[in-house]
């Protein structure tokens, strides 16, 4: 199963923009609507676009299921790890110790409307990135697994 | 006879369901203490402009952890369902 040349060319032109848009949603999760789950789903859509446009055999050499499984586990571990760092500092689980601290992601924000600065919100962007990595890997693993089942039925 | 009873129960259920949004006015929730707290202090405490993200990832972070674990379990389930067969194992379709 292989799509036509038009679909392949279109997908190859389009997928970097889809990935960039997904990364934008993930990274700006604490400023604009969206966040880790939504942005991860958009990035996974871009990967799925490439997978569906090409044949399964051509894709499995490049995108391997093991990599995305590891990526999903890494995202969840990063999420729990970021939440558990607060315990080692003697603070409650999930405490946002980076917010208003002045260090990385540590600028403080006054009450009311503002321009929206990326370097704010402490632990929230880090958790958004972790969840984004997890959702990206997880949805891609699901699609790759289902495509392998489709491939078997055809043979 | 039985059909009328079922229809009457359906009408009563639909009317009670519709009476909920009619009896409360839009934009004035009964319990708004927590909402007011988040709107007033969320931006200053978490330094995030997006209050929804502040609630999801900071105030209610443990719920989000459960959400992530649910997604992880779903992917593990799909991986088990579509796994590669072991030596000497066969599909049982048809």
């Amino acid at each position: 199963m292989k799509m036509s040349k038009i679909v392949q060319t279109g997908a190859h032109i389009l997928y970097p923009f889809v990935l960039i848009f997904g990364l934008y949603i993930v990274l700006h999760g604490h400023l604009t609507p969206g966040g880790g789950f939504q942005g991860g789903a958009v990035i996974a859509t871009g990967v799925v676009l490439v997978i569906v446009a090409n044949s399964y055999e051509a894709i499995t050499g490049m995108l391997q299921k093991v990599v995305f499984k590891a990526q999903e586990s890494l995202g969840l571990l990063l999420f729990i790890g970021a939440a558990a760092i607060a315990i080692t500092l003697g603070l409650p689980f999930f405490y946002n110790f980076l917010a208003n601290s002045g260090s990385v992601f540590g600028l403080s924000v006054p009450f009311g409307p503002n321009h929206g600065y990326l370097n704010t919100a402490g632990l929230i962007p880090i958790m958004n990135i972790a969840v984004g990595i997890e959702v990206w890997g997880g949805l891609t693993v699901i699609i790759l697994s289902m495509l392998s089942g489709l491939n078997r039925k055809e043979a | 006879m039985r059909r009328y009873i079922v229809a009457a129960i359906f009408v009563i259920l639909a009317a009670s369901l519709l009476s909920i949004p009619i009896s409360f006015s839009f934009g004035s929730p009964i319990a708004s203490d927590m909402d007011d707290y988040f709107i007033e202090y969320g931006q200053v405490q978490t330094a995030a402009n997006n209050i929804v993200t502040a609630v999801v990832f900071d105030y209610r972070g443990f719920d989000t952890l459960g959400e992530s674990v649910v997604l992880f379990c779903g992917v593990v389930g799909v991986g088990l369902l579509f796994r590669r067969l072991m030596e000497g194992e066969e599909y049982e379709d048809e």
Side-chain angles (χ1 to χ4, degrees), chain B residues 1-93:
Chain B
M1 184 61 202
R2 191 160 163 222
R3 194 184 288 171
Y4 290 117
I5 295 173
V6 171
I9 290 173
F10 183 77
V11 166
I12 290 169
L13 283 177
S16 55
L17 194 68
L18 277 176
S19 73
I20 295 172
I22 289 171
S23 55
F24 299 118
S25 61
F26 182 78
S28 56
I30 299 169
S32 66
D33 299 350
M34 220 58 219
D35 315 357
D36 294 339
Y37 181 84
F38 287 144
I39 291 168
E40 197 168 344
Y41 298 105
Q43 206 175 8
V44 173
Q45 282 178 349
T46 68
N49 279 352
N50 192 347
I51 300 292
V52 175
T53 309
V55 172
V56 166
F57 283 98
D58 198 332
Y59 292 109
R60 302 283 181 263
F62 208 71
D63 289 359
T64 311
L65 177 61
E67 219 174 316
S68 309
V69 172
V70 165
L71 180 78
F72 187 80
C73 293
V75 174
V76 167
V78 171
L80 282 173
L81 196 65
F82 288 92
R83 74 194 199 283
R84 191 169 293 156
L85 288 187
M86 308 261 283
E87 193 75 26
E89 206 179 355
E90 282 194 354
Y91 289 106
E92 292 183 8
D93 50 8

Side-chain angles (χ1 to χ4, degrees), chain A residues 81-153:
Chain A
I85 290 171
I87 293 179
T88 64
L89 300 175
L91 297 162
F93 195 50
F94 266 104
Y95 187 81
N96 195 346
F97 59 92
L98 276 176
N100 302 320
S101 68
S103 59
V104 61
F105 291 126
L107 288 183
S108 45
V109 166
F111 180 76
N114 58 56
H115 297 297
Y117 303 103
L118 202 58
N119 195 17
T120 54
L123 219 54
I124 295 175
I126 296 171
M127 286 179 172
N128 265 324
I129 292 166
V131 171
I133 289 172
E134 193 210 337
V135 173
W136 173 6
L139 293 184
T140 313
V141 165
I142 289 177
I143 293 293
L144 279 175
S145 306
M146 290 185 170
L147 267 183
S148 70
L150 188 76
N151 200 47
R152 181 191 68 84
K153 198 76 180 174

Side-chain angles (χ1 to χ4, degrees), chain A residues 48-102:
Chain A
V48 166
L49 193 65
V50 177
I51 292 172
V52 170
N54 295 280
S55 67
Y56 180 76
E57 289 78 22
I59 275 303
T60 41
M62 206 164 53
L63 304 173
Q64 287 183 346
K65 224 187 286 178
V66 184
V67 177
F68 288 103
K69 278 178 187 166
Q71 183 186 338
E72 194 207 3
S73 310
L74 183 85
L76 191 55
L77 276 179
L78 201 64
F79 187 68
I80 298 174
I85 290 171
I87 293 179
T88 64
L89 300 175
L91 297 162
F93 195 50
F94 266 104
Y95 187 81
N96 195 346
F97 59 92
L98 276 176
N100 302 320
S101 68

Side-chain angles (χ1 to χ4, degrees), chain A residues 1 21 53 83 124:
Chain A
M1 47 169 280
F21 182 62
I124 295 175

